[in-house]
Amino acid sequence: MSQSPSSGTIRRIWQRHSALISLAGAIIILLVNFWAGMDAHWDYEYPLHVDEYFAMGYTDAMMDEGSLTYHDPYRDGTISKHHEMGFHLLMGSFREMTGLSWLGFYRIAPAVMLVLISFLVYALGHREGYGWAAALFVILIPTSIRTLGPAFLVPMVGAMLFIPVAILILHRIESIGTTKALLLLMVLIGVTVSFHPPTGGIVFALIALYLFALTIEGLIDRKYFRSGGVIAAIGVMLVVPLMIMLRWQYAYFDRIWEKMPNNDSGMTELLGFHSGFIEAFGIIATVLFTAGSLAFLYVRAYRLRTYVLPAYILLLFAFMYIVYPRYDLGPNILYERGWSYVGLFMAIMAGFGIARYFRSISRLNLKIRQHASPIQAVAVMAGITVLVMALTTGFFGNKRDQYAGYYYMVGDQIRSDFVWLGENTTDSHKVALMEGSLAWTYPPIAGAGNQVNGAVASPQAHKWSQEAEAAFNTGEIETEWIEKQGASVLYSRWPVSQEARNMSNNDLIQVRPGVYLVPESIDAAH
């Protein structure tokens, strides 16, 4: 079959400069991810979620005292080996290396984290030819105030880095070597648990399923020794994390375990069940995810292990849409945070699907003897059109913005007040904020050593916050109530609007709008 001059020229250019073109393409994809990661931060210089602030607060306290045991900036008492200390150590180290302020660091860090996730996804699928496409679809992982996601620099997102790494090791286990791969996976589980225990559970379950499939492969091949070694490794991998949990994070996992059989719906009692995730990811991208999953199963590149990832995704979907909403079974934390894991898996499979489509186009020459180049050109343009539409309709869609639900809790006035308080109060003074979620923002902005009272992620669910809000709305507050909180400073600005309410109490001394001192508490402190 004759070849057109243009196609021949393109092929020669690719053969000569394929490495350079591939590198340029990878850099462009990573830059797209950085731009997407900055989307929520271009016009807003502060973190968007309370989880980001309390991670800052704990990290700042840990770094200031130079120990894994430090005074809790949000509660009375100390913290010893926080259950997310791995993330705190990483963020503290990066901040020290960059020399940025916390607010400056947290403004760009979510974009950097998204770039890292996309790079690891790219590495996961590079050898099979779908890494570039999967890395592009990473930008579609939805983020919301309730479920979190890549737009926030939180422990869960940091732990998500290890999901593609785990899959990569499991897909390359023959070339890496079984013993070395199992050791790497054991370390990976430990690190992930230290970042975010629920994500550690997700990674552990995924690894266990892969190793189970690998064991079955060994038995089919009559490699009984290897299968026995894998079974023993699974046992060790079960025991080691369990020992870590019991020794280090017993209280944390005990709370989760207690809630599972008691129909404790957590946030769903207040906010209802989730909706809009598929629309936020994008309908076209979801279709590509479905097609990619089917293509992944059809190609069967990893023998029995091929079925693990699609089956795991299906199990997660079943939990999110059926098991938990209908029967109230399973940990609430998995329901609230599991959507980001699903989004990551959907991005990987959608990338596999579109990359497989483009790869199949190159094989048309083997089947079509006439007019191959025009057909290939039309097919390529159709694929590019679908890819662009999937990315743009997903990322720029109104449903995505509605799902996100971003709001700007902190502004310049609140920041100015907190900085002033940090500079003009001693470590012995505790500040009480009239709105519980805003309280999380005080220690990292005021500076290390500052304490706050009443920090809660969901003020509507706590009696103290309801009492504080009632006093805030009426403007009437009793001095005794403030003193019970152990606070010597009262702050009465409201988040978002930054409105300062005047409090009608003659015992309080107003030193600036929204900032009141309690003289009795000050005298007691001195």
Side-chain angles (χ1 to χ4, degrees):
M1 184 186 66
S2 62
Q3 179 177 280
S4 66
S6 60
S7 63
T9 302
I10 293 173
R11 184 169 298 176
R12 286 194 297 272
I13 292 174
W14 172 257
Q15 290 174 346
R16 291 177 182 177
H17 307 288
S18 59
L20 183 61
I21 295 172
S22 297
L23 178 61
I27 292 173
I28 291 172
I29 291 170
L30 296 179
L31 288 175
V32 168
N33 274 272
F34 182 85
W35 169 81
M38 287 295 297
D39 181 62
H41 303 274
W42 290 120
D43 301 320
Y44 185 64
E45 61 180 307
Y46 304 102
L48 286 162
H49 201 278
V50 295
D51 285 21
E52 295 181 283
Y53 279 105
F54 71 66
M56 275 193 282
Y58 288 132
T59 304
D60 213 13
M62 178 189 68
M63 298 297 287
D64 182 60
E65 298 188 30
S67 172
L68 295 177
T69 300
Y70 50 90
H71 189 80
D72 190 338
Y74 299 104
R75 304 282 188 270
D76 291 328
T78 59
I79 291 178
S80 180
K81 299 180 179 65
H82 191 279
H83 61 268
E84 293 169 346
M85 68 176 185
F87 179 79
H88 299 160
L89 284 168
L90 182 66
M91 292 301 100
S93 300
F94 280 171
R95 187 218 169 189
E96 289 294 322
M97 288 189 293
T98 60
L100 294 171
S101 67
W102 272 123
L103 296 182
F105 178 77
Y106 263 72
R107 187 176 188 182
I108 64 169
V112 175
M113 193 66 72
L114 189 64
V115 168
L116 290 174
I117 293 174
S118 64
F119 173 77
L120 293 171
V121 168
Y122 177 87
L124 168 64
H126 176 65
R127 191 170 76 176
E128 290 79 4
Y130 68 92
W132 65 272
L136 274 176
F137 279 102
V138 165
I139 69 172
L140 297 185
I141 301 173
T143 296
S144 81
I145 289 295
R146 180 175 172 184
T147 65
L148 305 183
F152 305 142
L153 184 61
V154 291
M156 183 200 73
V157 176
M160 283 175 61
L161 291 169
F162 305 113
I163 294 177
V165 175
I167 300 173
L168 177 63
I169 294 172
L170 291 161
H171 284 176
R172 304 283 190 274
I173 198 165
E174 289 90 354
S175 57
I176 296 174
T178 304
T179 302
K180 186 184 295 185
L182 292 174
L183 289 173
L184 288 173
L185 291 171
M186 190 178 300
V187 172
L188 193 69
I189 291 172
V191 174
T192 310
V193 168
S194 75
F195 270 54
H196 189 244
T199 308
I202 287 290
V203 170
F204 175 78
L206 181 63
I207 291 173
L209 288 174
Y210 263 101
L211 293 182
F212 177 76
L214 182 66
T215 302
I216 300 300
E217 289 177 9
L219 293 175
I220 292 173
D221 295 338
R222 297 184 178 181
K223 296 180 179 179
Y224 303 118
F225 181 78
R226 190 185 75 170
S227 298
V230 173
I231 293 173
I234 294 174
V236 172
M237 293 174 68
L238 280 168
V239 171
V240 171
L242 182 61
M243 291 176 63
I244 294 174
M245 292 174 193
L246 292 175
R247 180 68 180 88
W248 169 33
Q249 299 182 355
Y250 175 79
Y252 177 84
F253 284 96
D254 186 55
R255 289 197 304 271
I256 295 176
W257 186 259
E258 285 181 354
K259 292 178 180 180
M260 289 179 62
N262 296 330
N263 295 324
D264 187 337
S265 298
M267 289 299 295
T268 56
E269 293 182 354
L270 299 171
L271 304 177
F273 294 108
H274 291 287
S275 62
F277 174 81
I278 295 298
E279 292 82 356
F281 188 80
I283 300 299
I284 299 175
T286 301
V287 173
L288 290 176
F289 151 70
T290 305
S293 300
L294 295 174
F296 191 82
L297 292 170
Y298 175 78
V299 173
R300 204 172 179 268
Y302 310 105
R303 301 184 64 192
L304 285 178
R305 282 166 289 158
T306 301
Y307 301 101
V308 173
L309 189 55
Y312 196 64
I313 299 171
L314 188 62
L315 288 172
L316 281 176
F317 266 110
F319 176 79
M320 300 300 212
Y321 284 101
I322 300 174
V323 175
Y324 188 84
R326 293 188 182 182
Y327 304 104
D328 205 9
L329 296 174
N332 172 261
I333 187 66
L334 178 58
Y335 180 74
E336 297 295 339
R337 299 293 177 253
W339 301 95
S340 293
Y341 312 138
V342 171
L344 177 59
F345 292 136
M346 289 178 70
I348 293 171
M349 286 302 178
F352 185 91
I354 197 70
R356 192 70 189 176
Y357 170 80
F358 282 113
R359 190 173 182 179
S360 66
I361 293 173
S362 64
R363 299 177 180 177
L364 285 174
N365 282 326
L366 300 177
K367 298 181 179 180
I368 302 174
R369 298 300 179 183
Q370 296 179 347
H371 310 297
S373 293
I375 293 175
Q376 281 184 309
V378 171
V380 168
M381 289 305 299
I384 293 174
T385 301
V386 171
L387 175 60
V388 172
M389 288 181 63
L391 294 173
T392 54
T393 58
F395 190 77
F396 297 106
N398 291 330
K399 295 293 185 181
R400 187 179 183 87
D401 293 335
Q402 294 172 9
Y403 183 82
Y406 298 147
Y407 60 91
Y408 297 158
M409 183 166 55
V410 173
D412 292 339
Q413 184 58 61
I414 290 177
R415 178 185 182 182
S416 175
D417 289 341
F418 286 0
V419 171
W420 184 87
L421 282 168
E423 293 173 347
N424 292 278
T425 57
T426 63
D427 292 351
S428 60
H429 293 293
K430 182 183 289 185
V431 177
L433 274 70
M434 300 303 291
E435 205 283 332
S437 61
L438 184 63
W440 292 109
T441 70
Y442 177 74
I445 296 178
N450 286 279
Q451 295 178 259
V452 71
N453 189 68
V456 291
S458 305
Q460 65 271 36
H462 293 264
K463 181 180 178 181
W464 185 94
S465 295
Q466 293 172 353
E467 293 175 351
E469 185 176 353
F472 180 87
N473 290 329
T474 61
E476 299 177 358
I477 191 167
E478 297 180 358
T479 306
E480 292 181 359
W481 183 86
I482 303 174
E483 291 176 340
K484 286 181 180 179
Q485 318 309 317
S488 55
V489 181
L490 178 71
Y491 188 73
S492 65
R493 284 195 187 275
W494 195 251
V496 184
S497 69
Q498 303 190 76
E499 175 189 359
R501 288 290 181 90
N502 292 321
M503 310 306 295
S504 57
N505 185 319
N506 294 329
D507 293 331
L508 301 178
I509 301 174
Q510 185 175 14
V511 293
R512 57 190 286 160
V515 180
Y516 297 85
L517 302 183
V518 184
E520 291 83 356
S521 298
I522 296 174
D523 294 339
H526 290 285

